[in-house]
Amino acid sequence: MLIAHPVVLRKLLARYEALSAVQEPDTETLRDLDDVTYTLCVSTGTRTIDAALGVAQERLARAAAEERTAPMARSAKGVASRRISDAGPTPSSPPSDASAILTA
C-alpha cells in the first residue's frame, strides 16, 4: 500500500478541517468536502472519515517522532562514513584515476 507523505496528510487535514468548519456550506463547499474526505480515505487506506482522521494523525505523530530522531541517525551515519573514507582505499578498490589504469 502506498503511504501518503506527511506534508500531503497535513494539507489534507487542514483542508478537511477548514471545510468542516463552514457554518452554512454551499454546494461547492459540500463537493469540496466530499472530495477531500474521499482523498483522505484513499490516502490512509480507510473507508470512513473517522478512521482516516485517526490514521492520518497517527502517521503524522510517527513522522514527527522520526524527524526528532533523524538528526541523531544522520550524525552517526556521517561519522561512520568519514571514518571509512579517512581510512583510504581498500585493496579491492579500483583506482580512482583512469590514467593509473593506462600506466599500470
Side-chain angles (χ1 to χ4, degrees):
M1 178 174 83
L2 293 175
I3 298 174
H5 192 276
V7 172
V8 172
L9 288 176
R10 279 188 206 99
K11 287 180 180 181
L12 288 171
L13 285 173
R15 182 89 174 125
Y16 177 81
E17 290 170 2
L19 291 168
S20 296
V22 174
Q23 294 295 324
E24 296 181 28
D26 59 9
T27 305
E28 183 178 348
T29 302
L30 291 172
R31 188 177 319 118
D32 289 346
L33 183 58
D34 283 345
D35 287 346
V36 75
T37 298
Y38 173 81
T39 305
L40 268 167
C41 288
V42 169
S43 298
T44 57
T46 59
R47 293 179 178 242
T48 66
I49 189 59
D50 290 334
L53 293 172
V55 169
Q57 291 167 350
E58 178 184 312
R59 287 188 184 156
L60 289 175
R62 194 174 334 135
E66 289 173 2
E67 285 178 15
R68 286 191 299 271
T69 60
M72 290 184 286
R74 282 194 296 267
S75 175
K77 183 179 177 183
V79 169
S81 66
R82 280 193 301 273
R83 286 182 189 153
I84 291 169
S85 64
D86 292 345
T90 59
S92 62
S93 297
S96 59
D97 185 7
S99 63
I101 296 171
L102 298 174
T103 59

